[in-house]
Amino acid sequence: MPTTALAATGIYAALCTFIFVWLANETGKVRRREKVALGDGGNTHLARLMRGMINCAEYMPIFLITLVIAALIGMPVWLVHLFGLSFIVGRAIHASYFIYPGTPIMRRFVGFGMGFVSQTLLAIGLLVHGIWVSVLGG
């Protein structure tokens, strides 16, 4: 039977998937409209969307792996929600920068920063917990 923290992690895995699907859908729309099957066809908006998708694919798996591990080793559900929600909000803001042309670059920085801080603090927590339990006998 899954724990509440692990079940909460499922929420953020689903939301990450929705952000990725959002980016993929927007990329597909531009591809169809501009008739570009491979690459970016020299279209700057398509190149921007592709970069957004790549960035999403780079960051989300590592975050979800660390969040699942944290839930499995006993992270309180409120912390799962805190890290998950801040990461998701950051990634949604970040994705919107790539989707909407003319969006101020500050949106990209804010979105990335929120996700990066969440991911980094989560990793530090796992490292400290791992050392505490496995090395110090916590």
Side-chain angles (χ1 to χ4, degrees), residues 48 93-94 96-97 102-113:
R48 181 174 167 150
I93 291 168
H94 189 262
S96 72
Y97 166 79
T103 301
I105 197 159
M106 185 54 69
R107 185 177 290 186
R108 181 180 184 189
F109 295 148
V110 168
F112 178 81

Side-chain angles (χ1 to χ4, degrees), residues 86-137:
S86 61
F87 183 80
I88 286 297
V89 169
R91 295 312 303 183
I93 291 168
H94 189 262
S96 72
Y97 166 79
F98 291 95
I99 290 170
Y100 303 113
T103 301
I105 197 159
M106 185 54 69
R107 185 177 290 186
R108 181 180 184 189
F109 295 148
V110 168
F112 178 81
M114 287 178 71
F116 185 79
V117 168
S118 299
Q119 197 160 11
T120 302
L121 291 176
L122 179 58
I124 290 168
L126 280 175
L127 180 63
V128 169
H129 182 80
I131 291 170
W132 180 264
V133 172
S134 67
V135 176
L136 303 176

Side-chain angles (χ1 to χ4, degrees), residues 57-113:
E58 291 167 343
Y59 282 89
M60 285 184 176
I62 299 300
F63 176 77
L64 291 171
I65 289 166
T66 55
L67 193 63
V68 166
I69 292 169
L72 288 171
I73 63 174
M75 176 182 270
V77 69
W78 70 269
L79 276 176
V80 171
H81 284 299
L82 178 71
F83 285 120
L85 189 59
S86 61
F87 183 80
I88 286 297
V89 169
R91 295 312 303 183
I93 291 168
H94 189 262
S96 72
Y97 166 79
F98 291 95
I99 290 170
Y100 303 113
T103 301
I105 197 159
M106 185 54 69
R107 185 177 290 186
R108 181 180 184 189
F109 295 148
V110 168
F112 178 81

Side-chain angles (χ1 to χ4, degrees), residues 20 22-31 33-34 40 43-56 94-101:
F20 192 80
W22 181 33
L23 282 160
N25 184 57
E26 294 300 320
T27 302
K29 280 197 245 181
V30 173
R31 283 189 180 286
R33 185 178 66 237
E34 301 297 323
D40 63 24
N43 182 296
T44 56
H45 187 209
L46 183 54
R48 181 174 167 150
L49 282 164
M50 290 169 61
R51 183 62 210 134
M53 281 188 68
I54 291 165
N55 190 277
C56 185
H94 189 262
S96 72
Y97 166 79
F98 291 95
I99 290 170
Y100 303 113

